[in-house]
Amino acid sequence: MANTFDASERLLFTSESVTEGHPDKVCDQISDAVLDALLTQDPLSRVACETSTTTGLVLVFGEITTEGYVDIQSIVRDVMNDIGYNHSVAGFDAAQAGVIVAIKEQSPDIAGGVNVALEERSGTSADPFDNTGAGDQGMMIEGASTETPELMPLPISLAHEVRPVLAGVRKSGELDYLLPDGKEPVTVWRFEAVFVRVDTVVVSTQHREDVTLEQIQAIHQVRSPRCPG
C-alpha cells in the first residue's frame, strides 16, 4: 500500500555540499595543506592557519609554532592549480595571483593554556596523563545517524554524492565549459522523523561566459545512485 501523509505536516530539510572550487572549500584546502605539510616535518606543530581569498588574491594568516618550515606561497599555488584555477578564464590564475602571508608565532597567552592544563598547574589533576590544556572551544550539533551507511544525515549524504559527479564531468572534459566553483543543495521531505522523499536537487555551477542557456538546459539529468527516481 502506498505511503500517505498530510503534506501540511511535512518538514523540508535542506543540506548543501560545495565543490572544491567554492571559495569556502578553497580556503579550507589551503589551510589543510599548510597543516599537513608542517605536521609531516614536526608532529608537535601548533597550527592556527586561516585563509581568505578573492579574485586574484589569497591571504594566509594566523599563528603557527613549529620546528618545521614550508613555502606557503608554493603550497597555495599548488592547491589552486590542482583545483583547476589555472587560467584567467576561470577567474583565478594560480601562477599570476597574489599571495600574502601574515603568519606569526602562537600567542604566549594561548600557549600558556595549551602547554599544561590548569588542573596540572594547580595540582588538582588526578590523572598524571591528563595534563594537556585546550586553546579553543567549539560547538557542535547533530550526531551519528542510522539514515545512511556512513552514519550521516541523509540530505548531506545525498548532496555529497552529487558533488563528485559535477567535478567528474568537468575534469573529464565531458562538459568542458564548466569551471571549479559550484554547490549542490538537496532538500528532502521529512515526516514523523523519517525522510520520505527527495523534494529538490539544485546544481549551481560556475561556467565560461560564452556558454548559452540552451547549452546548459540540454545537459542530461545527473542522478545520485541513491535517488534513481
Side-chain angles (χ1 to χ4, degrees), residues 164-184:
V165 176
L166 180 60
V169 295
R170 172 177 64 88
K171 292 184 173 182
S172 69
E174 181 179 347
L175 298 178
D176 59 1
Y177 53 79
L178 295 184
L179 298 176
D181 190 5
K183 54 187 178 181
E184 308 84 31

Side-chain angles (χ1 to χ4, degrees), residues 45-123:
S45 295
R46 293 175 181 170
V47 183
C49 179
E50 308 289 347
T51 304
S52 295
T53 185
T54 186
T55 304
L57 176 67
V58 175
L59 169 62
V60 181
F61 58 98
E63 298 182 349
I64 295 177
T65 300
T66 182
E67 296 297 324
Y69 170 78
V70 296
D71 184 345
I72 293 180
Q73 288 228 7
S74 294
I75 289 176
V76 170
R77 298 189 193 282
D78 288 345
V79 170
M80 299 297 287
N81 189 64
D82 289 344
I83 290 171
Y85 282 126
N86 49 22
H87 196 280
S88 58
V89 171
F92 199 106
D93 185 347
Q96 302 298 324
V99 179
I100 299 176
V101 178
I103 296 290
K104 62 180 181 179
E105 287 190 341
Q106 185 182 59
S107 162
D109 293 330
I110 295 177
V114 174
N115 292 343
V116 181
L118 175 62
E119 292 80 1
E120 181 71 14
R121 285 181 276 134
S122 63

